[in-house]
Amino acid sequence: MKYTLLYCNGKKWFRTVGCLLLFLFAATGVKAQVTVEATIDSLQLLIGEQTKVRLQVSMDANQRLRVVRDTLVTGVEVVDIAKPDTQLLNDNKRWLISQEYTITSFDSALYYLPPFEVLVNNQPYRSKALALKVYSIPVDTLH
């Protein structure tokens, strides 16, 4: 009979500890959530055409942001970097920072654009990599 009581108390204890652990993991994940996203307007260009790459960082308002680089890859030129645009969200508790890069290329190739890396409170975060296909203009040599 004592064994049955101990078993029931053990179930309650495990349930309580499980709920506490779940709460702690959930609270830690929400505390400092940072997202970094990079998008490109056009995946294909003719030589000399331009497209825009957008970098968006979502973070808590009390954190510090630093973008690690302003170059992309050899063969792709950054024509212009726009000033960052900051939107305040959730009663000024979160920031959404956006920045546009205007890029071009004068060599036909398939380019791998590596992930953008930012530092938020000196901790690195990365976006996904992008791809860009640059085509040459077909030349009619008969006419």
Side-chain angles (χ1 to χ4, degrees), residues 45-48 75 105-111 132-137:
L45 297 177
L46 287 175
I47 287 179
S105 179
F106 296 101
D107 295 320
S108 61
L110 175 61
Y111 292 100
L132 176 66
K133 176 67 177 167
V134 180
Y135 290 98
S136 60
I137 300 172

Side-chain angles (χ1 to χ4, degrees), residues 80-93:
D80 184 47
I81 301 174
K83 290 183 179 180
D85 176 37
T86 304
Q87 296 178 10
L88 302 174
L89 308 170
N90 297 346
D91 296 325
N92 298 336
K93 294 178 184 174

Side-chain angles (χ1 to χ4, degrees), residues 68-119:
V68 176
R69 66 182 162 98
D70 58 357
T71 59
L72 293 178
V73 68
T74 304
V76 176
E77 296 180 25
V78 178
V79 177
D80 184 47
I81 301 174
K83 290 183 179 180
D85 176 37
T86 304
Q87 296 178 10
L88 302 174
L89 308 170
N90 297 346
D91 296 325
N92 298 336
K93 294 178 184 174
R94 302 265 312 154
W95 286 352
L96 179 63
I97 302 170
S98 303
Q99 190 165 26
E100 281 189 351
Y101 296 77
T102 305
I103 62 171
T104 189
S105 179
F106 296 101
D107 295 320
S108 61
L110 175 61
Y111 292 100
Y112 168 79
L113 305 179
F116 281 86
E117 184 172 288
V118 298
L119 297 177

Side-chain angles (χ1 to χ4, degrees), residues 25-33 60 94:
F25 286 129
T28 351
V30 173
K31 180 181 174 188
Q33 186 176 8
D60 289 341
R94 302 265 312 154

Side-chain angles (χ1 to χ4, degrees), residues 32-71:
Q33 186 176 8
V34 175
T35 60
V36 180
E37 183 179 338
T39 57
I40 190 166
D41 281 350
S42 179
L43 299 174
Q44 300 178 9
L45 297 177
L46 287 175
I47 287 179
E49 286 185 332
Q50 297 179 356
T51 190
K52 294 190 184 297
V53 175
R54 285 184 185 78
L55 175 66
Q56 285 192 325
V57 180
S58 174
M59 61 187 212
D60 289 341
N62 61 351
Q63 296 175 314
R64 297 180 53 87
L65 171 70
R66 186 168 61 110
V67 178
V68 176
R69 66 182 162 98
D70 58 357
T71 59

